Each structure stands twice: as C-alpha cells, then as structure tokens.
Amino acid sequence: MTRADLAVLGRTVVHLRTAQLAHRARLRTQQACVRRFPKAGRLIMPGPDPAVAVGWPDAACPVDALTPGCWPNLAELRTGKITLLGLTREIGWGHSDAPRLWRFHLHYWDWAWGLATDQDRLASRALFARLWRSWGDSAEFGRGNAWHPYPTALRAWSWCGLHRTLVAGSDIEPDFVTGLAAHAGFLRRHLEYDVGGNHLIKGLKALVGLAVFFADERLLRLALRRLTSQLALQVLPDGGHYERAPAYHCQVLADLVDVVDLLWAAGRTPAGEITTAIDRMRGWLGAVLTPDGQVPLLNDGYPVDRELIAALRPGSIPDSPLLVLPATGLVRAVAGCWHLLADVGPPCPPSLPAHAHADTFGFLLHVDKVPVLVDTGTSTYEPGAVRRHERSTAAHSTVQVDGANSTEVWGVFRAGRRARVSGLAVHADAARVTCEAVHDGFRGLRGRPLHRRRWSLTSDELQIDDLVTGRGRHEIVIRWQLPVGSTVRVADRSALVTSPAGDFSVTVTATAPVRLAAEIRAVAVGFGSTADATVLICQLDATLAVGITTVWSRARSSGGERAT
C-alpha cells in the first residue's frame, strides 16, 4: 500500500465511530469461528424452540406479496432457471462466477413469492420443497454468501411469510421450522451494527418476523426497541433516509410498512415512533418522485418497480414551485412544465459512505414530464472501472476540477474526503425559482478550489451559473448527462440537443475560452444492464476565478417559434 493509499484510508476511517470498528472486529472473529466450526456455531447460537412455533397470522401480507410482477413465476422456475437482476442462470446455490449481488439475491428467497401467488398451489408447493431441500444440502450453516447477515435476514423474513402458503402441513415443515429457529439464533448475534443503515434495519425487521413466528416475546421486545432507536438516527427530520439514496429509502420504507402490518395482524399496536417515521418517509417519497412517477436515481440507484412504488403509498405531490428538503439536501423546483431536482446536501452520513456518489450539485431535469438531464445510475457493485465511473463526478451533471472527484469515493463502498455544502439560498417568485450553494469538495487540490452553483428556473428556460474560485490554473469540466436516445450538434459555444423531450438550445458564456464536445458513455438502465447515451461536455483551462453560464431553452423552429 502506497503513502497515498494510506492517506485515503485515513481520511475514510476518521469518519467511522469507534463502536463500528469494535462491531466489525467482533463479527469478523465470530464469523470465522462459525465457518470453521459450524456445528459448534449452532450450539453456541441457539434459536427458539421449534416446538413453540405458531407461524404468522393469516392476515399478515408483506409488501412482497403485493408485487407479484417483481418475481419469477412457476412456469419460469419449472424450467430450472432463474432470472435475477437481468441475469439468467441455472437454479443452483454456487455460481461463484456470478456477481456477488446476484448471489445475494439468489439467497434472499424473496423471488419465491412468485410461487406463493401462483394459482397452481400443489405444483408451487412441490417445487418450493424441492428447491428448499437442495438449498439446505448446499448451504452449510454459517458459511458462504448464503449466511452473510444481509441475505440471511431477507431469507428469514421471506421464509416466515411463505410458510403458510408453501410449507404448512407438508413433509418439510418440521425441518423448515427448525431451520428458521437457526436463522433466529444466527441473526441475534450477527446484527450489522458495523455497517448500520438499511442492512441493520433488515436484520431487525427479520428478528421481528421471527419473534412473531415463534411467539418469542423477549425477542420481539428486543428487536422493536432497537428498531425504534435506529429510526431516530436513520430517518431524517425531513423524512428522508439518511443514506440519501432514494432507491434505498424505498427499501427501508417497505421494511417499516412490513413491520407495522405484521404487528397489526398479530393484534399488537405498533410504536408511534415507527408509524410516524412511515408517514414522514411517505411524504418525502412523494416529494422527490420525478414527474413521470419514477424514483430518482441519486447516489446508488436502480429502477424501482411501479408496483412497489404504489404499494408504498407515497405522499401527495407538493403543490409548490419550490420545496427544500434541508436534512437530505434536495431542492425541488417547478416552473411551468420544467421540473428540477438538485442535490445540495452531504453525499452520505459520516459513518456510512457505501452508497455515496461524488455528485454534489448534480441534478435531474424534466420538461413535460420527460427527462432532459439524467443521472448515470448504478449498474454494478462489482469492483472495477464501471463502478468507479458510476460513482465519479464525471458521471453526473456537475463541475469537475482537474479530473478529481468532489467526494473521494474509492473501492466499491468507500469514501474519504467528502464535499461540504454551505450557503444554501433559495427563492421563488412569480417569474422564477432560484437555488444557490457552494461546496468545498475540491479543497484537497492545489489552490483549494470552491464550486458555487446557481440554478435559475423559469417556465421558458433553465440557467446554471457556475463559479469556481481559488488560486492557480485548473482544468474545469462541466458534463451534462443526457438520456438514452439523445443526440447533440455542437457549434462554437452553443449546442442543439435533440432528446425524447424535444429539441433544446444550449448556450454557454464564460470568463475564459471554452470548448464544447460530445461523447458517448454508458448509463445504467438496471443492475447488470447499460445503454449508450450522449454526454455534452464543456471544457476550459484557466486561472481561477472562472465563471461559466449555461442556458437550456426550447430550440426555436425555422419560423422562430419555440419547438414543442
């Protein structure tokens, strides 16, 4: 490891809490012991007595059961193949050459809800039993991806919910319930306090489900107490989840909805802290949905199924030209048919950078409910060039200085120095909506550049004023990420963008000579899937301070009218 690598590592570790490091050391030691002595692991991590299992109440209906379109059906699974994250493989439990996230999804078993909702109950139960037996023969307790705490938590919840429909009364039920008891024992001692975030919520949710399944009052009280304490940390005052990734906000919201619905079905009254968090999170989700009803792909993001969005019941769309979500760091601005969502907040919570991108002052733009400027999104969690690019400043519609990232993202889920935003100012009147802020994410460069951005939105155009201050000469690059299907024609300091939303004129003025160009880069259209899209690039090399103004407006037709 070089001196530079050690410096980045130091700038990463300094953000972590001491308790996180202690939990990581404990879990690593514990997991190593369980892998080496799996039989002993079962003995020292006992779960509830399988004989006391009562299952879930008939009225329990998790969110997964409300989204049948998300899962492979009986006919698909009967072929012996399964498609997860767009990748189709033979049904088996190894697949060491598959992406790790795909292997995790395989071990979630949430895909088996496709069997639970199929009309052919006998065939579904028979196939489930066969797959469950083969999994049990392959997945030795405590070893491999199957027993990573995260997939273990998702699988435990799924199996609790699937028991009534696919297992109850069958010959696998005794061993199935014994297996669930082992999951409870394992998860109680493998809660991911070293990671926190959505991982910890998943583990606590699973313990709630297991506690209800085994009528374990002590376990239920423990899980609910720890869950409510996490909500005080993870649900921000404006209702956003603190990882600041809307796709993961949806996951956590679904987890809380599941917990509350299960408690109601079991005849229990959920704690007010949980129901209040759900209400706030629903309001936040309604506020950030794009005009076409999609979840915005900010930070690590992936397309969220419309069935799931509907099941989460987002709050009503705000009837206001300007909305600030100050804790999350998002600003929503609307003028006529123009819709802007700007990222003006911290990239991540201090102790959890896993899903952060270097996207400070990036934004999404829609016109007539059609995207004009997009986020590159997330197609992989595998280490390599694609992951590095998708997290980088170059993958977002913002300013880059000297090829550096505004937040020092590295590895797959790490970040060192983070951009700090200050001076947020917003205003709305009858003519326009404005938003302005400054960040110091490039302070590690010589001359300590600062980036100030101002958005001015009217019903006719969007003007973006970028000011980079500091000392010395620097290369400044602004990239505009266009949706798939867009084309660009460049001429001097202007460009004509033809996009799914229509034709747009882009004009650039600056305090130094600029060069406009276009290039093709891959954007994510789902995990494991990308498509080529055009990026409009503005470059200049100058001594700071440098100002650049970019105006986006409807292109005029040959007759002088604005194109629609």
Side-chain angles (χ1 to χ4, degrees), residues 419-454:
R420 300 176 299 197
V421 177
S422 60
L424 176 62
V426 298
H427 176 73
D429 57 32
R432 69 185 63 244
V433 184
T434 60
C435 171
E436 182 174 2
V438 62
H439 81 80
D440 65 355
F442 302 112
R443 63 187 180 277
L445 301 176
R446 57 182 175 81
R448 299 178 65 83
L450 295 176
H451 173 211
R452 178 178 296 275
R453 172 165 277 190
R454 183 175 191 266

PDB file of all heavy atoms in Angstrom, residues 419-454:
ATOM      1  N   ALA A 419     -17.419  16.169   0.127  1.00  0.00           N
ATOM      2  CA  ALA A 419     -17.828  17.538  -0.171  1.00  0.00           C
ATOM      3  C   ALA A 419     -18.695  18.078   0.964  1.00  0.00           C
ATOM      4  O   ALA A 419     -19.563  17.380   1.480  1.00  0.00           O
ATOM      5  CB  ALA A 419     -18.597  17.579  -1.492  1.00  0.00           C
ATOM      6  N   ARG A 420     -18.454  19.333   1.335  1.00  0.00           N
ATOM      7  CA  ARG A 420     -19.255  20.001   2.367  1.00  0.00           C
ATOM      8  C   ARG A 420     -19.956  21.194   1.732  1.00  0.00           C
ATOM      9  O   ARG A 420     -19.314  22.072   1.152  1.00  0.00           O
ATOM     10  CB  ARG A 420     -18.349  20.449   3.519  1.00  0.00           C
ATOM     11  CG  ARG A 420     -17.616  19.287   4.187  1.00  0.00           C
ATOM     12  CD  ARG A 420     -16.653  19.759   5.264  1.00  0.00           C
ATOM     13  NE  ARG A 420     -15.610  20.636   4.730  1.00  0.00           N
ATOM     14  CZ  ARG A 420     -14.476  20.916   5.373  1.00  0.00           C
ATOM     15  NH1 ARG A 420     -14.230  20.362   6.560  1.00  0.00           N
ATOM     16  NH2 ARG A 420     -13.586  21.731   4.838  1.00  0.00           N
ATOM     17  N   VAL A 421     -21.271  21.203   1.838  1.00  0.00           N
ATOM     18  CA  VAL A 421     -22.084  22.245   1.211  1.00  0.00           C
ATOM     19  C   VAL A 421     -22.413  23.318   2.237  1.00  0.00           C
ATOM     20  O   VAL A 421     -22.706  23.024   3.407  1.00  0.00           O
ATOM     21  CB  VAL A 421     -23.384  21.641   0.643  1.00  0.00           C
ATOM     22  CG1 VAL A 421     -24.273  22.734   0.052  1.00  0.00           C
ATOM     23  CG2 VAL A 421     -23.064  20.589  -0.416  1.00  0.00           C
ATOM     24  N   SER A 422     -22.379  24.565   1.814  1.00  0.00           N
ATOM     25  CA  SER A 422     -22.738  25.681   2.696  1.00  0.00           C
ATOM     26  C   SER A 422     -23.431  26.764   1.882  1.00  0.00           C
ATOM     27  O   SER A 422     -23.447  26.741   0.647  1.00  0.00           O
ATOM     28  CB  SER A 422     -21.487  26.246   3.379  1.00  0.00           C
ATOM     29  OG  SER A 422     -20.564  26.726   2.416  1.00  0.00           O
ATOM     30  N   GLY A 423     -24.011  27.707   2.605  1.00  0.00           N
ATOM     31  CA  GLY A 423     -24.587  28.887   1.977  1.00  0.00           C
ATOM     32  C   GLY A 423     -25.796  28.633   1.105  1.00  0.00           C
ATOM     33  O   GLY A 423     -26.029  29.379   0.140  1.00  0.00           O
ATOM     34  N   LEU A 424     -26.588  27.611   1.418  1.00  0.00           N
ATOM     35  CA  LEU A 424     -27.772  27.327   0.607  1.00  0.00           C
ATOM     36  C   LEU A 424     -28.755  28.491   0.712  1.00  0.00           C
ATOM     37  O   LEU A 424     -29.134  28.914   1.804  1.00  0.00           O
ATOM     38  CB  LEU A 424     -28.439  26.041   1.067  1.00  0.00           C
ATOM     39  CG  LEU A 424     -29.750  25.657   0.362  1.00  0.00           C
ATOM     40  CD1 LEU A 424     -29.498  25.417  -1.125  1.00  0.00           C
ATOM     41  CD2 LEU A 424     -30.376  24.428   1.013  1.00  0.00           C
ATOM     42  N   ALA A 425     -29.153  28.996  -0.453  1.00  0.00           N
ATOM     43  CA  ALA A 425     -30.132  30.083  -0.511  1.00  0.00           C
ATOM     44  C   ALA A 425     -31.125  29.790  -1.629  1.00  0.00           C
ATOM     45  O   ALA A 425     -30.709  29.467  -2.751  1.00  0.00           O
ATOM     46  CB  ALA A 425     -29.435  31.424  -0.751  1.00  0.00           C
ATOM     47  N   VAL A 426     -32.402  29.893  -1.335  1.00  0.00           N
ATOM     48  CA  VAL A 426     -33.444  29.633  -2.334  1.00  0.00           C
ATOM     49  C   VAL A 426     -34.441  30.778  -2.333  1.00  0.00           C
ATOM     50  O   VAL A 426     -34.614  31.478  -1.333  1.00  0.00           O
ATOM     51  CB  VAL A 426     -34.169  28.292  -2.046  1.00  0.00           C
ATOM     52  CG1 VAL A 426     -33.203  27.118  -2.133  1.00  0.00           C
ATOM     53  CG2 VAL A 426     -34.839  28.320  -0.678  1.00  0.00           C
ATOM     54  N   HIS A 427     -35.104  30.929  -3.481  1.00  0.00           N
ATOM     55  CA  HIS A 427     -36.103  31.987  -3.603  1.00  0.00           C
ATOM     56  C   HIS A 427     -37.064  31.624  -4.724  1.00  0.00           C
ATOM     57  O   HIS A 427     -36.666  31.029  -5.736  1.00  0.00           O
ATOM     58  CB  HIS A 427     -35.445  33.331  -3.915  1.00  0.00           C
ATOM     59  CG  HIS A 427     -36.423  34.441  -4.137  1.00  0.00           C
ATOM     60  ND1 HIS A 427     -37.146  35.017  -3.114  1.00  0.00           N
ATOM     61  CD2 HIS A 427     -36.816  35.062  -5.275  1.00  0.00           C
ATOM     62  CE1 HIS A 427     -37.937  35.954  -3.609  1.00  0.00           C
ATOM     63  NE2 HIS A 427     -37.755  36.009  -4.921  1.00  0.00           N
ATOM     64  N   ALA A 428     -38.318  31.959  -4.535  1.00  0.00           N
ATOM     65  CA  ALA A 428     -39.323  31.742  -5.583  1.00  0.00           C
ATOM     66  C   ALA A 428     -40.241  32.945  -5.644  1.00  0.00           C
ATOM     67  O   ALA A 428     -40.686  33.459  -4.609  1.00  0.00           O
ATOM     68  CB  ALA A 428     -40.134  30.479  -5.293  1.00  0.00           C
ATOM     69  N   ASP A 429     -40.482  33.413  -6.868  1.00  0.00           N
ATOM     70  CA  ASP A 429     -41.487  34.449  -7.082  1.00  0.00           C
ATOM     71  C   ASP A 429     -42.254  34.120  -8.349  1.00  0.00           C
ATOM     72  O   ASP A 429     -42.103  33.020  -8.908  1.00  0.00           O
ATOM     73  CB  ASP A 429     -40.852  35.843  -7.131  1.00  0.00           C
ATOM     74  CG  ASP A 429     -39.776  35.967  -8.210  1.00  0.00           C
ATOM     75  OD1 ASP A 429     -39.905  35.298  -9.254  1.00  0.00           O
ATOM     76  OD2 ASP A 429     -38.806  36.728  -8.004  1.00  0.00           O
ATOM     77  N   ALA A 430     -43.053  35.035  -8.817  1.00  0.00           N
ATOM     78  CA  ALA A 430     -43.890  34.752  -9.980  1.00  0.00           C
ATOM     79  C   ALA A 430     -43.079  34.526 -11.241  1.00  0.00           C
ATOM     80  O   ALA A 430     -43.547  33.863 -12.177  1.00  0.00           O
ATOM     81  CB  ALA A 430     -44.886  35.906 -10.198  1.00  0.00           C
ATOM     82  N   ALA A 431     -41.855  35.062 -11.291  1.00  0.00           N
ATOM     83  CA  ALA A 431     -41.058  34.984 -12.519  1.00  0.00           C
ATOM     84  C   ALA A 431     -40.139  33.774 -12.562  1.00  0.00           C
ATOM     85  O   ALA A 431     -39.971  33.143 -13.611  1.00  0.00           O
ATOM     86  CB  ALA A 431     -40.236  36.258 -12.681  1.00  0.00           C
ATOM     87  N   ARG A 432     -39.523  33.427 -11.418  1.00  0.00           N
ATOM     88  CA  ARG A 432     -38.505  32.386 -11.449  1.00  0.00           C
ATOM     89  C   ARG A 432     -38.319  31.764 -10.072  1.00  0.00           C
ATOM     90  O   ARG A 432     -38.734  32.318  -9.063  1.00  0.00           O
ATOM     91  CB  ARG A 432     -37.189  32.927 -11.973  1.00  0.00           C
ATOM     92  CG  ARG A 432     -36.484  33.891 -11.066  1.00  0.00           C
ATOM     93  CD  ARG A 432     -35.226  34.483 -11.718  1.00  0.00           C
ATOM     94  NE  ARG A 432     -35.557  35.270 -12.904  1.00  0.00           N
ATOM     95  CZ  ARG A 432     -35.171  34.948 -14.134  1.00  0.00           C
ATOM     96  NH1 ARG A 432     -34.420  33.872 -14.330  1.00  0.00           N
ATOM     97  NH2 ARG A 432     -35.509  35.702 -15.155  1.00  0.00           N
ATOM     98  N   VAL A 433     -37.647  30.599 -10.103  1.00  0.00           N
ATOM     99  CA  VAL A 433     -37.226  29.919  -8.878  1.00  0.00           C
ATOM    100  C   VAL A 433     -35.708  29.832  -8.923  1.00  0.00           C
ATOM    101  O   VAL A 433     -35.130  29.441  -9.947  1.00  0.00           O
ATOM    102  CB  VAL A 433     -37.831  28.505  -8.774  1.00  0.00           C
ATOM    103  CG1 VAL A 433     -37.445  27.852  -7.441  1.00  0.00           C
ATOM    104  CG2 VAL A 433     -39.343  28.535  -8.929  1.00  0.00           C
ATOM    105  N   THR A 434     -35.057  30.215  -7.824  1.00  0.00           N
ATOM    106  CA  THR A 434     -33.600  30.172  -7.798  1.00  0.00           C
ATOM    107  C   THR A 434     -33.108  29.352  -6.596  1.00  0.00           C
ATOM    108  O   THR A 434     -33.766  29.283  -5.562  1.00  0.00           O
ATOM    109  CB  THR A 434     -32.977  31.581  -7.717  1.00  0.00           C
ATOM    110  OG1 THR A 434     -33.432  32.224  -6.521  1.00  0.00           O
ATOM    111  CG2 THR A 434     -33.366  32.404  -8.931  1.00  0.00           C
ATOM    112  N   CYS A 435     -31.952  28.769  -6.793  1.00  0.00           N
ATOM    113  CA  CYS A 435     -31.299  27.985  -5.744  1.00  0.00           C
ATOM    114  C   CYS A 435     -29.803  28.174  -5.909  1.00  0.00           C
ATOM    115  O   CYS A 435     -29.282  28.110  -7.035  1.00  0.00           O
ATOM    116  CB  CYS A 435     -31.683  26.506  -5.862  1.00  0.00           C
ATOM    117  SG  CYS A 435     -30.732  25.394  -4.792  1.00  0.00           S
ATOM    118  N   GLU A 436     -29.103  28.394  -4.806  1.00  0.00           N
ATOM    119  CA  GLU A 436     -27.670  28.669  -4.875  1.00  0.00           C
ATOM    120  C   GLU A 436     -26.977  28.068  -3.661  1.00  0.00           C
ATOM    121  O   GLU A 436     -27.514  28.065  -2.548  1.00  0.00           O
ATOM    122  CB  GLU A 436     -27.427  30.173  -4.921  1.00  0.00           C
ATOM    123  CG  GLU A 436     -25.968  30.575  -5.051  1.00  0.00           C
ATOM    124  CD  GLU A 436     -25.801  32.076  -5.227  1.00  0.00           C
ATOM    125  OE1 GLU A 436     -26.828  32.789  -5.200  1.00  0.00           O
ATOM    126  OE2 GLU A 436     -24.649  32.516  -5.395  1.00  0.00           O
ATOM    127  N   ALA A 437     -25.767  27.516  -3.860  1.00  0.00           N
ATOM    128  CA  ALA A 437     -24.976  26.975  -2.761  1.00  0.00           C
ATOM    129  C   ALA A 437     -23.530  26.844  -3.215  1.00  0.00           C
ATOM    130  O   ALA A 437     -23.218  26.975  -4.407  1.00  0.00           O
ATOM    131  CB  ALA A 437     -25.515  25.628  -2.297  1.00  0.00           C
ATOM    132  N   VAL A 438     -22.627  26.563  -2.262  1.00  0.00           N
ATOM    133  CA  VAL A 438     -21.214  26.398  -2.558  1.00  0.00           C
ATOM    134  C   VAL A 438     -20.718  25.138  -1.858  1.00  0.00           C
ATOM    135  O   VAL A 438     -21.218  24.774  -0.791  1.00  0.00           O
ATOM    136  CB  VAL A 438     -20.402  27.645  -2.098  1.00  0.00           C
ATOM    137  CG1 VAL A 438     -20.509  27.849  -0.599  1.00  0.00           C
ATOM    138  CG2 VAL A 438     -18.941  27.540  -2.524  1.00  0.00           C
ATOM    139  N   HIS A 439     -19.762  24.436  -2.472  1.00  0.00           N
ATOM    140  CA  HIS A 439     -19.169  23.276  -1.799  1.00  0.00           C
ATOM    141  C   HIS A 439     -17.648  23.309  -1.945  1.00  0.00           C
ATOM    142  O   HIS A 439     -17.096  23.920  -2.860  1.00  0.00           O
ATOM    143  CB  HIS A 439     -19.760  21.957  -2.326  1.00  0.00           C
ATOM    144  CG  HIS A 439     -19.177  21.465  -3.622  1.00  0.00           C
ATOM    145  ND1 HIS A 439     -17.969  20.800  -3.699  1.00  0.00           N
ATOM    146  CD2 HIS A 439     -19.650  21.529  -4.909  1.00  0.00           C
ATOM    147  CE1 HIS A 439     -17.719  20.474  -4.964  1.00  0.00           C
ATOM    148  NE2 HIS A 439     -18.714  20.908  -5.720  1.00  0.00           N
ATOM    149  N   ASP A 440     -16.975  22.597  -1.013  1.00  0.00           N
ATOM    150  CA  ASP A 440     -15.515  22.613  -0.963  1.00  0.00           C
ATOM    151  C   ASP A 440     -14.917  21.238  -1.251  1.00  0.00           C
ATOM    152  O   ASP A 440     -13.830  20.909  -0.758  1.00  0.00           O
ATOM    153  CB  ASP A 440     -15.040  23.108   0.406  1.00  0.00           C
ATOM    154  CG  ASP A 440     -15.434  22.161   1.537  1.00  0.00           C
ATOM    155  OD1 ASP A 440     -16.153  21.170   1.272  1.00  0.00           O
ATOM    156  OD2 ASP A 440     -15.020  22.398   2.687  1.00  0.00           O
ATOM    157  N   GLY A 441     -15.614  20.439  -2.060  1.00  0.00           N
ATOM    158  CA  GLY A 441     -15.163  19.082  -2.321  1.00  0.00           C
ATOM    159  C   GLY A 441     -13.808  18.979  -3.016  1.00  0.00           C
ATOM    160  O   GLY A 441     -13.182  17.916  -2.983  1.00  0.00           O
ATOM    161  N   PHE A 442     -13.337  20.079  -3.614  1.00  0.00           N
ATOM    162  CA  PHE A 442     -12.035  20.059  -4.292  1.00  0.00           C
ATOM    163  C   PHE A 442     -10.938  20.711  -3.447  1.00  0.00           C
ATOM    164  O   PHE A 442      -9.885  21.101  -3.962  1.00  0.00           O
ATOM    165  CB  PHE A 442     -12.139  20.765  -5.648  1.00  0.00           C
ATOM    166  CG  PHE A 442     -13.166  20.153  -6.555  1.00  0.00           C
ATOM    167  CD1 PHE A 442     -14.322  20.842  -6.898  1.00  0.00           C
ATOM    168  CD2 PHE A 442     -13.003  18.870  -7.048  1.00  0.00           C
ATOM    169  CE1 PHE A 442     -15.276  20.279  -7.735  1.00  0.00           C
ATOM    170  CE2 PHE A 442     -13.950  18.286  -7.880  1.00  0.00           C
ATOM    171  CZ  PHE A 442     -15.094  18.993  -8.228  1.00  0.00           C
ATOM    172  N   ARG A 443     -11.177  20.851  -2.148  1.00  0.00           N
ATOM    173  CA  ARG A 443     -10.230  21.550  -1.279  1.00  0.00           C
ATOM    174  C   ARG A 443      -8.888  20.831  -1.163  1.00  0.00           C
ATOM    175  O   ARG A 443      -7.893  21.429  -0.739  1.00  0.00           O
ATOM    176  CB  ARG A 443     -10.831  21.745   0.112  1.00  0.00           C
ATOM    177  CG  ARG A 443     -11.128  20.449   0.868  1.00  0.00           C
ATOM    178  CD  ARG A 443     -11.888  20.729   2.162  1.00  0.00           C
ATOM    179  NE  ARG A 443     -12.182  19.498   2.914  1.00  0.00           N
ATOM    180  CZ  ARG A 443     -13.208  18.694   2.668  1.00  0.00           C
ATOM    181  NH1 ARG A 443     -14.054  18.967   1.670  1.00  0.00           N
ATOM    182  NH2 ARG A 443     -13.400  17.610   3.407  1.00  0.00           N
ATOM    183  N   GLY A 444      -8.841  19.565  -1.535  1.00  0.00           N
ATOM    184  CA  GLY A 444      -7.580  18.841  -1.494  1.00  0.00           C
ATOM    185  C   GLY A 444      -6.653  19.161  -2.639  1.00  0.00           C
ATOM    186  O   GLY A 444      -5.476  18.780  -2.629  1.00  0.00           O
ATOM    187  N   LEU A 445      -7.145  19.883  -3.662  1.00  0.00           N
ATOM    188  CA  LEU A 445      -6.311  20.272  -4.796  1.00  0.00           C
ATOM    189  C   LEU A 445      -5.531  21.534  -4.469  1.00  0.00           C
ATOM    190  O   LEU A 445      -5.907  22.308  -3.570  1.00  0.00           O
ATOM    191  CB  LEU A 445      -7.194  20.510  -6.023  1.00  0.00           C
ATOM    192  CG  LEU A 445      -8.050  19.328  -6.504  1.00  0.00           C
ATOM    193  CD1 LEU A 445      -8.939  19.761  -7.666  1.00  0.00           C
ATOM    194  CD2 LEU A 445      -7.176  18.143  -6.905  1.00  0.00           C
ATOM    195  N   ARG A 446      -4.469  21.759  -5.209  1.00  0.00           N
ATOM    196  CA  ARG A 446      -3.700  22.996  -5.011  1.00  0.00           C
ATOM    197  C   ARG A 446      -4.607  24.196  -5.297  1.00  0.00           C
ATOM    198  O   ARG A 446      -5.430  24.186  -6.217  1.00  0.00           O
ATOM    199  CB  ARG A 446      -2.484  23.019  -5.937  1.00  0.00           C
ATOM    200  CG  ARG A 446      -2.831  22.892  -7.398  1.00  0.00           C
ATOM    201  CD  ARG A 446      -1.608  22.859  -8.298  1.00  0.00           C
ATOM    202  NE  ARG A 446      -1.995  22.624  -9.681  1.00  0.00           N
ATOM    203  CZ  ARG A 446      -2.444  23.558 -10.508  1.00  0.00           C
ATOM    204  NH1 ARG A 446      -2.526  24.801 -10.072  1.00  0.00           N
ATOM    205  NH2 ARG A 446      -2.772  23.272 -11.756  1.00  0.00           N
ATOM    206  N   GLY A 447      -4.469  25.221  -4.517  1.00  0.00           N
ATOM    207  CA  GLY A 447      -5.308  26.400  -4.692  1.00  0.00           C
ATOM    208  C   GLY A 447      -6.663  26.271  -4.027  1.00  0.00           C
ATOM    209  O   GLY A 447      -7.433  27.222  -4.011  1.00  0.00           O
ATOM    210  N   ARG A 448      -7.003  25.108  -3.475  1.00  0.00           N
ATOM    211  CA  ARG A 448      -8.243  24.860  -2.729  1.00  0.00           C
ATOM    212  C   ARG A 448      -9.484  25.439  -3.436  1.00  0.00           C
ATOM    213  O   ARG A 448     -10.161  26.319  -2.913  1.00  0.00           O
ATOM    214  CB  ARG A 448      -8.140  25.435  -1.311  1.00  0.00           C
ATOM    215  CG  ARG A 448      -7.011  24.815  -0.501  1.00  0.00           C
ATOM    216  CD  ARG A 448      -6.917  25.439   0.885  1.00  0.00           C
ATOM    217  NE  ARG A 448      -8.113  25.151   1.674  1.00  0.00           N
ATOM    218  CZ  ARG A 448      -8.312  24.025   2.365  1.00  0.00           C
ATOM    219  NH1 ARG A 448      -7.394  23.056   2.352  1.00  0.00           N
ATOM    220  NH2 ARG A 448      -9.405  23.866   3.074  1.00  0.00           N
ATOM    221  N   PRO A 449      -9.779  24.946  -4.639  1.00  0.00           N
ATOM    222  CA  PRO A 449     -10.932  25.488  -5.371  1.00  0.00           C
ATOM    223  C   PRO A 449     -12.249  25.267  -4.629  1.00  0.00           C
ATOM    224  O   PRO A 449     -12.461  24.249  -3.960  1.00  0.00           O
ATOM    225  CB  PRO A 449     -10.921  24.697  -6.686  1.00  0.00           C
ATOM    226  CG  PRO A 449      -9.543  24.146  -6.806  1.00  0.00           C
ATOM    227  CD  PRO A 449      -9.081  23.899  -5.402  1.00  0.00           C
ATOM    228  N   LEU A 450     -13.138  26.235  -4.790  1.00  0.00           N
ATOM    229  CA  LEU A 450     -14.523  26.141  -4.323  1.00  0.00           C
ATOM    230  C   LEU A 450     -15.445  26.209  -5.531  1.00  0.00           C
ATOM    231  O   LEU A 450     -15.172  26.947  -6.490  1.00  0.00           O
ATOM    232  CB  LEU A 450     -14.859  27.282  -3.365  1.00  0.00           C
ATOM    233  CG  LEU A 450     -14.122  27.336  -2.029  1.00  0.00           C
ATOM    234  CD1 LEU A 450     -14.521  28.593  -1.265  1.00  0.00           C
ATOM    235  CD2 LEU A 450     -14.421  26.102  -1.200  1.00  0.00           C
ATOM    236  N   HIS A 451     -16.542  25.453  -5.475  1.00  0.00           N
ATOM    237  CA  HIS A 451     -17.513  25.486  -6.569  1.00  0.00           C
ATOM    238  C   HIS A 451     -18.825  26.051  -6.052  1.00  0.00           C
ATOM    239  O   HIS A 451     -19.417  25.508  -5.118  1.00  0.00           O
ATOM    240  CB  HIS A 451     -17.739  24.070  -7.135  1.00  0.00           C
ATOM    241  CG  HIS A 451     -18.833  23.994  -8.154  1.00  0.00           C
ATOM    242  ND1 HIS A 451     -19.617  22.881  -8.351  1.00  0.00           N
ATOM    243  CD2 HIS A 451     -19.287  24.926  -9.040  1.00  0.00           C
ATOM    244  CE1 HIS A 451     -20.490  23.101  -9.300  1.00  0.00           C
ATOM    245  NE2 HIS A 451     -20.310  24.347  -9.738  1.00  0.00           N
ATOM    246  N   ARG A 452     -19.250  27.132  -6.680  1.00  0.00           N
ATOM    247  CA  ARG A 452     -20.559  27.728  -6.380  1.00  0.00           C
ATOM    248  C   ARG A 452     -21.459  27.531  -7.599  1.00  0.00           C
ATOM    249  O   ARG A 452     -21.051  27.802  -8.727  1.00  0.00           O
ATOM    250  CB  ARG A 452     -20.430  29.215  -6.061  1.00  0.00           C
ATOM    251  CG  ARG A 452     -21.773  29.905  -5.787  1.00  0.00           C
ATOM    252  CD  ARG A 452     -21.573  31.378  -5.436  1.00  0.00           C
ATOM    253  NE  ARG A 452     -20.832  31.517  -4.203  1.00  0.00           N
ATOM    254  CZ  ARG A 452     -21.390  31.484  -2.980  1.00  0.00           C
ATOM    255  NH1 ARG A 452     -22.699  31.303  -2.858  1.00  0.00           N
ATOM    256  NH2 ARG A 452     -20.635  31.625  -1.918  1.00  0.00           N
ATOM    257  N   ARG A 453     -22.676  27.054  -7.362  1.00  0.00           N
ATOM    258  CA  ARG A 453     -23.631  26.861  -8.463  1.00  0.00           C
ATOM    259  C   ARG A 453     -24.946  27.553  -8.126  1.00  0.00           C
ATOM    260  O   ARG A 453     -25.416  27.484  -6.986  1.00  0.00           O
ATOM    261  CB  ARG A 453     -23.856  25.374  -8.744  1.00  0.00           C
ATOM    262  CG  ARG A 453     -24.977  25.085  -9.742  1.00  0.00           C
ATOM    263  CD  ARG A 453     -24.949  23.663 -10.274  1.00  0.00           C
ATOM    264  NE  ARG A 453     -23.998  23.553 -11.390  1.00  0.00           N
ATOM    265  CZ  ARG A 453     -23.903  22.481 -12.189  1.00  0.00           C
ATOM    266  NH1 ARG A 453     -24.676  21.407 -11.977  1.00  0.00           N
ATOM    267  NH2 ARG A 453     -23.031  22.465 -13.184  1.00  0.00           N
ATOM    268  N   ARG A 454     -25.501  28.183  -9.172  1.00  0.00           N
ATOM    269  CA  ARG A 454     -26.800  28.853  -9.024  1.00  0.00           C
ATOM    270  C   ARG A 454     -27.708  28.397 -10.151  1.00  0.00           C
ATOM    271  O   ARG A 454     -27.348  28.498 -11.327  1.00  0.00           O
ATOM    272  CB  ARG A 454     -26.635  30.371  -9.058  1.00  0.00           C
ATOM    273  CG  ARG A 454     -27.934  31.150  -8.837  1.00  0.00           C
ATOM    274  CD  ARG A 454     -27.626  32.656  -8.780  1.00  0.00           C
ATOM    275  NE  ARG A 454     -28.746  33.435  -8.319  1.00  0.00           N
ATOM    276  CZ  ARG A 454     -29.651  34.020  -9.110  1.00  0.00           C
ATOM    277  NH1 ARG A 454     -29.525  33.895 -10.433  1.00  0.00           N
ATOM    278  NH2 ARG A 454     -30.638  34.728  -8.603  1.00  0.00           N
TER     279      ARG A 454
END
